[in-house]
Amino acid sequence: MASTASANIHITPQLGFTGGGIVKNSNDEKFDIKPSESFAISIESDLQTSRLGLYYSHQSSNVESENLDSTIQYLMFQSSIYYPLANQSFTYLGIGIGGSYINADWSDNHTGFAASLFGGFEYPFSDSVSFTSQVRWLGTVVDNNTTTICNLPSSHSTDCRIQFDTDWMNQFTMSAGMVMTF
């Protein structure tokens, strides 16, 4: 970790797998947003033994058995603290706050407050490249009082009503990536 006088910029692209999020239809049947691949990027700067920066995440998925598409994006300000381990590697814990944008076939586009907690491991290959792995909880405020009419695939003969199951949608992601330090 660098001191604030010589703060480094860290750019971290990551690939992962994100799951979580529940919707229900007018018959109170619950359906999960299918776990799927996701990608994220963070841009951070050193501040003593921590980092401050921005985090962006994107997941495209659909609702199980209903084949209704959804895209969930997060943009957050985040802070993490780093703890040294052997071999110049680090473990870290962090928090983030910001917003999410949900674009789904079955719902009006929705922007809401979002938060995250995360932890991970970073192993340096050189002074400028490290491997990282991370586990992250992502939560977003959603409006479950809005019931949206959705069009089912042509195999169904009627329309449906679908909505979020709760006021707070939880997702979890596991990812790995490379930290490039400048």
Side-chain angles (χ1 to χ4, degrees):
M1 301 299 300
S3 70
T4 55
S6 62
N8 292 316
I9 300 297
H10 307 276
I11 299 174
T12 309
Q14 299 179 59
L15 294 175
F17 200 74
T18 301
I22 299 173
V23 297
K24 67 180 178 179
N25 66 15
S26 53
N27 296 327
D28 281 335
E29 295 174 301
K30 294 182 181 181
F31 303 97
D32 292 327
I33 296 173
K34 287 184 183 176
S36 64
E37 300 81 16
S38 58
F39 70 86
I41 188 164
S42 62
I43 301 172
E44 301 170 297
S45 180
D46 291 331
L47 180 63
Q48 296 176 354
T49 61
S50 64
R51 291 185 187 165
L52 296 172
L54 292 174
Y55 171 82
Y56 170 79
S57 171
H58 181 276
Q59 175 198 20
S60 293
S61 186
N62 59 37
V63 176
E64 70 176 6
S65 74
E66 297 298 319
N67 201 25
L68 300 169
D69 292 335
S70 66
T71 300
I72 303 170
Q73 299 174 73
Y74 294 92
L75 181 60
M76 296 186 195
F77 174 75
Q78 70 179 19
S79 176
S80 54
I81 189 161
Y82 279 67
Y83 302 97
L85 299 172
N87 300 327
Q88 297 181 332
S89 59
F90 295 91
T91 186
Y92 56 90
L93 295 171
I95 60 172
I97 58 169
S100 67
Y101 178 75
I102 300 170
N103 182 0
D105 288 347
W106 43 267
S107 176
D108 292 337
N109 295 343
H110 178 76
T111 303
F113 171 79
S116 72
L117 297 172
F118 59 95
F121 171 79
E122 190 171 310
Y123 180 82
F125 293 125
S126 69
D127 288 342
S128 59
V129 178
S130 300
F131 168 80
T132 188
S133 61
Q134 183 179 105
V135 175
R136 183 180 292 252
W137 163 80
L138 295 158
T140 191
V141 174
V142 294
D143 183 4
N144 73 338
N145 293 323
T146 302
T147 301
T148 304
I149 296 175
C150 59
N151 294 316
L152 294 173
S154 59
S155 62
H156 291 74
S157 60
T158 61
D159 286 341
C160 69
R161 294 188 182 277
I162 197 163
Q163 68 190 48
F164 286 103
D165 184 44
T166 180
D167 290 330
W168 189 262
M169 182 180 71
N170 294 299
Q171 291 198 294
F172 297 91
T173 187
M174 295 176 56
S175 61
M178 300 302 288
V179 181
M180 295 170 282
T181 303
F182 302 95

